[in-house]
Amino acid sequence: MLKDIVLFLPETYLILTSIGLILGEVGYHGERVRMILATAILAVLGAAAQLLLNYSVGAGRFGHLNFINDGFALFLKTLLLVSAGIALFADRKSHEVSLENRTEHAALILGVTALGMLLVSAVSWIWIIALLFATQILGSLILSMKKIDRRAIEAAFKGNISAIYSTILVSLAVILFFSATGEFDLYRIHAALIEKGVSPRLYAAGFSMIVVGLGFFGTYFPSQLWAKDAYEGASLPATAFASSFFRITSFGVLVRVMIVQFSKESTDKGFWVPITAMNWLPVLAVLAGLTLALSALYVFGQTKTRKLLAGILVIQSGFYLLGLLALDQVGFASILFGLATEVFMIGGLFASLSFFEDRREEGDRGSQLSRSAPEGIALLFFLIAVVGLPPLPGFIAKFTLISSAARHQWNGLALISLLSLVLISIAVFKWVYPWVYELRQRSESFALSWSHRFLLMGLVVPLILISIFAEPMLAWVGSSVAFLQW
Amino acid sequence: MKILIPIMVFAPAIGAVLQILNPRPLFCRSVAIVAALASAVAAGILFYDIDPTMAGETPKFVVNWMKSYSIHFALGVDGLNLLPTVATALIFPFLIVSEWDRPSGRRGIHALLLILETAILGSLCSLDLFLLLFFFLMIPIPLYFLSSIWGDEGRESAAFRMISVSLVAGASLFFGILLIYHAVDPHTFLIDDLKGKLAGKSAEVFGMNFEMGQLAFGMIALGLALRAPLWPIHGWFRKLLLRVPTTVGVAAILGSYPVVLTVFTRIGFELFPETMNSHLDFWIGAGIANLIFGALALLQEKDLRGVLVSLSSLAVGFSMIGIGTGHQTGLVGSQFILFSSLIALAIWGFASEILRVRARTYVISELSGVLRTLPDLGSSTLIALACAIGIPGTAGFISISLLTIGSFNYHPGVVVTSLVVSVVVTGFIVQIFRQVFLGERSESRFPKLDIRERVLLFPLVGAILTVGFFPSPLVEIVRMTIARILNLGSAG
Amino acid sequence: MNGTDGLTLTQILLPAWLATLVFVFLASIGILFFPRIHARIVKGFLPILFFPSLVVMIGFIVQGLETSDRPIVHWIFHKEIHDSLRLGFLFDPVTLVISVVIGAVLVATSLRNRPPVTILSALGLGWVSVSLVASSKTFWTAALALGIGIIAKVVPILGGKSDPDPHGTSIDSLWMSSTKRSWIGLLVTLVGAAGLAAHGLHLDFFSEGTWTDLYGSPNTLIAGSFFLAGLLLQFLPMATSAIYHWDRPGFFEEENFIFETAMAWVSVLIIYRVLPNIRDTHWATGVQGAAMLCLAGSFLGLAFLETRRAAISFWLSNYPLFVLTILPALHGQAAFLFLAGSIVAFGGLFICLDHQKTRVDLGLAVFFFLGMFGFTGWATSLGTVEFFSRFEEAPVLVSLTALIWLIYAAFGFRIVLRGGDTPVRTVNLAKWITSGFLITLGFGPALSGRWSSGAIPEVSDWLDGAKDWPWIKPYAAETITTNWLGFGLVHGILLVGILLGIFVWATAKIFPFSENYPKGLRAARGVFGGDWLHRKWIDGLTKTGTLWAEKISDPVWERWLPQLSKSVLARLQRLGEWVEDISDHLTSARYAHLFSAPSKLVQWLHGGNVRLYAWFALGWILIISLFLTR
């Protein structure tokens, strides 16, 4: 029992702080110092500290065996906390978000992160479905965090709709599996599938429903076509947080389900093979290929900033599918490494972009970058990282993912991923030109507040550290994958 | 002595970072030149210390970067990449000096040039395929920003074409290296470990099965060919250089064919010796095509910067012929032509920059009689052109004679064609030289060269003449390494 | 002198000599960059330049004319690699004679004419290239000298005026045509040498063994012919006659030396050095034949030049070609003496030909003219007599050479008599000193080292191993067979040449001096029956000359060739532009359109219609499950 309390501590702490914030908002009557941001950040830091505690507790099931505390979950939890911290800061800085409802936003972010952390460690389907639905609905609400703007509300609406669809599909699949095996726990379903075996039609339908259902917010093939509409409408910091949050949670669940329920350990350690005779790897390969190709083509045609960035956000999951395809420890490590770098890159890119978007008067398309050199250099820095060009860790992340595909002879897929990388980088460089071409003339530059510099440093420095000390980072990610308890 | 290599490669990068962090202009300028000079001095010491008989191991700096993927941070300087490295390290400080008093955006251009230098030196010295890819893909990025910010009008399409071609080239190189990485059993990127292991391996793409020698080598060769302005696919390079000030142009040249041809020789003869030797006449054909169409391009030049493009495609042609002979002398010649053509092109670049500052134009027809007013500029350009053609007494002569001997062994026909082309090219270059420098004096009085401009021209002219008269230290080192590589590839 | 443990004179001689050569090279290049300094030392520039070399030469004479050389140094590649290129230097009597004569001549002319700085530096470079060739042991050092020679040709244009004269040929064309010729010649020689080097022939000048295996394989045959053809190409004044059709004030001696004779003497020296290897082979006779052919060709050009100045330059610039008609056939002591003697005669004529017809000038010019043709007492007489005494062995070759020499002598003497048309200059002390020095040097015994020709027994020879000097009776050394026929033939040619020069060619249109000597004209016609030369034939000769000049040589060089090259260049230019456009499309941005169609399709797919979501998802679930259960 005590162990459960300790293991649930980070989530409870976050939820309590968000409730506190809401109460503070309700009871607010005009004090000058609000300290909203400070409390939220404190909450995140506290949760992070408690997470370290969980590490020491070691792997094991908790919460009446519904949750699991393994390296994989813990790593994803830390990522969620980091993206929450960045979101809080960016939200504070951005002018798109009205100041009055800052507390709601902070509370919303903290609550969603707590639920996400739970979802990532959930093992039994009931909890997965419930948390999935909750996070997706609340997550879509975050998308609407913007001054009264029809498109933001439309984005949130689309998010809710897809939340409903994905939950329906996943629960249908769970019902099918429950009817066949009578279990809700992943491990027990796995065991049952192996002994009793199940009719191929049911297995196929269940598998495809889960894959497509999780796709709604994992933004790979079928749903990637419309997932980006949500991202276009929302405010910049909200998009950054939503995209990384949804991707972390849905890939966390997808990987766990694929490994635990649908595959078994092959002969040598660290490799998995689909359980029944039905080999669903080509399906994942096709999904990954289509995601990469279609979103790359979409991005290539874009000129507007928001649509371009939305396309780039969506294409990342195509790469993570490549990691999943490999079904081996190194593949999952590359997914986690990709997610870690993505949190910083996307966060940084959107933060610096919102800095410029806020200060740009309507209609002047002139080169913005000269307005503030450090901010401009940071923007270019993040752009090159997101697109996966050296010398930044984006390149290493993309390399590890593509090489995990190539390791299992999916060379064709590797070729498609490389071409899609080329397409999006060409589109990005075409987009960067108006920002850069008058950098020669020094136009007046915006004042850069210290907190903004701190945010930038907070994003740039970890990126550089990751690329230099790629080895320890990969080792840590590798070890946390090894934790996975099957 | 091994620690010198990373210093040489990363000194400019550190300089660039300091440039960005510190806003004070005077401090930045001196930081830039100190960083470039540090790298040049390190290259000089490396060159001086390398023992020509190559008995001892060539200096290598190998550190584990990503053990799980067996990626090593391996930088090494041996005979093969010594000449281009020394040339690059020697020329970059001059590039910094030539941008010494640009009124606006000087800090930016210095920082980007330094980053470019690190990328070039890195890709020249890297002995690990991943590191090579890492630096090779890094080269076009600073070039893109240099050309799109400091170019003349029409720079957007030129910069865009350059970056898209380089990205496609990088992607095909990436795919080739990926195939090699996964074809070898204990996956490794180190070129030394990969030697000889790639024969007979094959890879399957979209169901079709390809032999490693064709697919991987083909992709790498395509990637490299796109980056070096090999004749048919060099449109982007011409457009870039015609839109960009010559300092950036020379930097682009430094990043193009020297890196590509050194990497091509190393990967070709070390990893795929049999494919390389079975296609020798293809390389020579490519070389001759480059020569012929480079000469034709030289004829239709209307802009001083255009001359840079055609001279570099000539150098590529000569070097490809050298590689094509597969013979030891030919290969030494091909490495040597890289060195001599780089310095000649650098001088021509600086000379046209100096002319632009005075005559406000790069167009050849508007310049005339420059020699009367600037005799020293005229003479140094004359010596640079002599080196580009290969008149005895200059470094160019050594490379041309080495190439002739190498190709004479291969087939006298090659010698005759290159002889005919070089005579024709001499005619064209003489034509351009007369048009710009001789003829009646144009009415505008050009001010005399100041100290900075003399510093730009004379040391490089001195380098050409000294190497022209005392080439043996340089040639010896390159010959030993190539002998080792060729014997390894059991050819020549 | 030697025996001291320290550096003996011979040891330091060669490095000192090379140092002086480098000093002269750098000084002549340097003077270009600092024109102001030249203004102050304009008169004494060349003497200052050549003084250190003079000291070294005196050192050489003092230490007994013993050849001092260094072992061959490898230049590129290790020695044992069969195609390695090697450098080698030496200082032997040939170097001494050539450097001294050319140096003295250049100093004299430069003091007299006081040319501008670029011409002076070109003279310095020319001298360096000639002396470097003279002191080189391998071809590759000589190649460096050829390179310097080309730079010397380019230097005059750096400061040269560009005022085009009536014929539309400015100094550029002077520079263009002769540099182009020597550059192509150099290239052809280099290719040949590279070919030979590639086949293991080290082209060391003093290596034993004739190049018999030159016939080994077609490649070596090509390479060998390339090598010699390139050298021959260096001195073909006929090929660039445009120079001589144009007369302008200025420094015609200097320009003659820079643009024609310097490179010519460099090639003669290379062939002289290569002689031991190609002696008695077809190559030697091949070179002789080619030289004769070219000389004959240049007679046509020579015969019909309007101005005396052009005639002098053209006749003098054919002199190296003339030397080469018999040099390949000689060997050993005879070859050395003939070469040295002709250099001295050339030097003398170079100074004295442009004279004012005073008695002393005429005497000097005639003396050197005699030396040219091997008049007894001259150093050249040994070689000529030996060659012409081979009448029985090779009648055709010797008779043909005799005929060519006859015509050349005739033209020569006509020019010697007529002198030059430059205005009268102040008495030039330097010219007299140099002429005096050359006379003593040209004197047979001096060069042959037998000062006293054995007459005064106890005087030691200053050139050990020299043979007795053949005052009257033909020389009878073991290796050289000379006989009275040769001796008679040589002096016969001289006599007939002089007479022809004075009388028979009176009617030649070029030099209107036939009117000045009516008596001589009648005597010549009487003695030689000039009438058998039908008027028509002479008119024919004149007409062909003018025809050649107006119809062929001028149009070819002034109008036809330039137009042809312009049209070819223009067409090539259009081809270049067309090729550039085509290859430009290969990497053009239009490839992006390749992707625009599919990206539009994908954008259409991305319609934001919410209702579609569910149906699309369900559709895909169906497809996946069907795929899985197939």
Side-chain angles (χ1 to χ4, degrees), chain C residues 41-111:
Chain C
I41 56 165
V42 65
K43 256 167 72 67
F45 176 64
L46 276 191
I48 298 170
L49 215 59
F50 293 154
F51 181 72
S53 327
L54 193 62
V55 165
V56 169
M57 288 177 216
I58 293 164
F60 178 72
I61 295 169
V62 160
Q63 55 98 23
L65 288 177
E66 180 208 344
T67 311
S68 79
D69 62 359
R70 281 281 176 279
I72 288 185
V73 161
H74 102 82
W75 179 25
I76 296 181
F77 302 129
H78 268 293
K79 283 192 182 52
E80 68 280 0
I81 300 292
H82 74 275
D83 56 12
S84 75
L85 318 181
R86 305 134 76 89
L87 288 184
F89 296 97
L90 85 162
F91 194 98
D92 67 352
V94 172
T95 329
L96 170 71
V97 166
I98 283 142
S99 322
V100 165
V101 167
I102 300 281
V105 160
L106 290 186
V107 165
T109 43
S110 78
L111 287 183

Side-chain angles (χ1 to χ4, degrees), chain A residues 293-305 307-309 311-312 420 423-428 430-431, chain B residues 160, chain C residues 592-604 606:
Chain A
L294 288 183
S295 31
L297 284 176
Y298 175 77
V299 164
F300 189 78
Q302 288 317 320
T303 50
K304 287 204 191 40
T305 319
K307 282 193 178 332
L308 186 83
L309 291 177
I312 289 179
S420 59
L423 282 183
I424 53 171
S425 11
I426 290 180
V428 160
K430 201 178 342 179
W431 171 78
Chain B
F160 172 67
Chain C
H593 301 323
L594 215 63
F595 293 101
S596 59
S599 77
K600 281 205 185 48
L601 169 70
V602 164
Q603 264 155 32
W604 173 77
H606 284 192

Side-chain angles (χ1 to χ4, degrees), chain C residues 353-420:
Chain C
L353 255 189
D354 192 1
H355 59 75
Q356 299 314 312
K357 294 203 289 301
T358 60
R359 195 151 307 291
V360 173
D361 288 344
L362 206 58
L364 262 183
V366 165
F367 175 80
F368 285 116
F369 177 77
L370 294 180
M372 233 173 89
F373 289 86
F375 190 74
T376 179
W378 260 84
T380 48
S381 70
L382 179 67
T384 39
V385 165
E386 194 240 333
F387 175 74
F388 283 103
S389 44
R390 289 207 204 119
F391 194 76
E392 292 83 14
E393 290 161 32
V396 170
L397 181 67
V398 170
S399 55
L400 254 180
T401 324
L403 177 66
I404 296 287
W405 274 40
L406 188 63
I407 300 171
Y408 194 66
F411 274 110
F413 201 76
R414 167 61 60 194
I415 292 167
V416 161
L417 280 186
R418 194 64 203 85

Side-chain angles (χ1 to χ4, degrees), chain B residues 19 29 52 69 101 105 171 185 354 397 485:
Chain B
Q19 289 274 41
R29 209 163 56 162
Y69 287 87
D101 42 24
D185 189 70
I354 292 169
F397 167 68
I485 291 177

Side-chain angles (χ1 to χ4, degrees), chain A residues 399, chain B residues 69-72 127-131 177-178 180-181 186-194:
Chain A
F399 166 74
Chain B
Y69 287 87
S70 81
I71 293 173
H72 303 276
L127 297 177
D128 176 297
L129 284 180
F130 181 80
L131 197 63
I177 289 180
L178 206 61
I180 294 177
Y181 177 67
H187 299 314
T188 170
F189 277 110
L190 268 180
I191 291 180
D192 304 344
D193 306 351
L194 283 167

